[in-house]
Amino acid sequence: MRAMLLAAGRGERFRPVTDHCPKPLVEVAGQTLIERHLGRLSAAGVREVVINLGWLGGQLRQALGDGARYGLAIEYSEEGWPALETGGGLRRALPLLGEAPFLVVNSDVWTDYPIEQLVVRAATLPDERLLHLVLVPNPEHHPQGDFNLESETLGDAGERLTAAGLWLARPRLLDGSDETGPFSVVPYWRRAIAAGRASGERYDGLWADVGTPQRREVLERSLRGD
């Protein structure tokens, strides 16, 4: 199975650290965010990973190499700067991701979600399903949430939750798009949901969007048990 780590963004809210360090190389509890993801992906049975490069992408390539020390084969999708956002980045990387369902992970989240569950789900994803989202309870900085979930159905009913930055997709998710340059993937999520071709699940374990230095500090205190 292949996975894509979204790692091209500027990390504006993490400045000035991200003026000279790409956000995925920010450390939490002594380990960079992206290396933790790579280790967990490898442990879950993923063997091929695509990483998109934008802001200070050369530092990521230098730090991670070909992935062999993580038990992975890493390929890089070069975007340059400005980067292509989630949708444009995914479109650029599609030739590297193959035809089967693949896993996408935002590199700036921290979670103990069991990745192997998504690996298993990907292998049994119904052919008509284009998308599966992991959702979490709304954090303080995003109280309005993103999507409604009832059982595994995304739609108008159920509890309002926040997208966790962990999802499965088929390459066909972007079919019919003629957008070029930077664009968000979220409208294509919504299109799949409206067509009844998406599912979701709620996760109540550890999860954090490490979007600011303050959120990183809160997470580190929590991990220390403070």
Side-chain angles (χ1 to χ4, degrees):
M1 180 185 179
R2 291 183 172 122
M4 180 172 183
L5 278 166
L6 298 175
R10 174 67 175 80
E12 287 286 350
R13 294 171 299 173
F14 223 101
R15 297 182 68 184
V17 173
T18 49
D19 288 342
H20 54 81
C21 173
K23 190 175 175 186
L25 292 182
V26 165
E27 291 189 0
V28 171
Q31 185 177 32
T32 69
L33 289 166
I34 198 164
E35 288 187 293
R36 183 172 187 275
H37 286 308
L38 291 172
R40 298 187 76 240
L41 287 168
S42 179
V46 174
R47 290 294 172 259
E48 298 174 79
V49 174
V50 175
I51 300 175
N52 64 334
L53 299 180
W55 178 253
L56 301 177
Q59 290 189 35
L60 283 166
R61 185 188 287 272
Q62 183 176 14
L64 306 176
D66 63 4
R69 67 179 177 274
Y70 310 104
L72 299 166
I74 296 177
E75 292 190 85
Y76 296 96
S77 179
E78 295 278 359
E79 297 182 18
W81 191 255
L84 297 174
E85 299 183 22
T86 50
L90 181 59
R91 177 192 284 284
R92 174 72 62 87
L94 282 179
L96 303 174
L97 289 167
E99 299 300 321
F102 53 86
L103 171 63
V104 184
V105 182
N106 289 9
S107 62
D108 59 355
V109 300
W110 195 103
T111 183
D112 63 356
Y113 178 93
I115 299 294
E116 60 273 12
Q117 289 187 15
L118 286 179
V119 173
V120 170
R121 187 181 288 269
T124 59
L125 198 70
D127 185 65
E128 72 278 2
R129 191 160 301 161
L130 300 178
L131 174 69
H132 179 80
L133 295 178
V134 177
L135 303 167
V136 294
N138 301 328
E140 289 183 8
H141 66 270
H142 191 62
Q144 72 275 21
D146 297 307
F147 300 98
N148 290 69
L149 180 70
E150 187 170 50
S151 184
E152 288 200 352
T153 300
L154 293 162
D156 297 326
E159 185 179 12
R160 191 78 171 173
L161 298 167
T162 290
L166 291 166
W167 42 291
L168 294 173
R170 290 189 182 276
R172 301 196 307 272
L173 179 70
L174 296 181
D175 277 3
S177 166
D178 58 1
E179 295 187 67
T180 59
F183 67 93
S184 172
V185 76
V186 174
Y188 297 89
W189 288 0
R190 296 193 184 281
R191 183 178 71 173
I193 291 169
R197 304 186 70 182
S199 59
E201 63 179 284
R202 173 178 170 140
Y203 182 62
D204 289 302
L206 291 175
W207 177 90
D209 171 4
V210 190
T212 66
Q214 294 76 21
R215 288 186 215 158
R216 177 177 63 173
E217 178 58 30
V218 169
L219 173 60
E220 290 198 318
R221 288 201 305 267
S222 174
L223 295 174
R224 292 193 302 264
D226 293 355

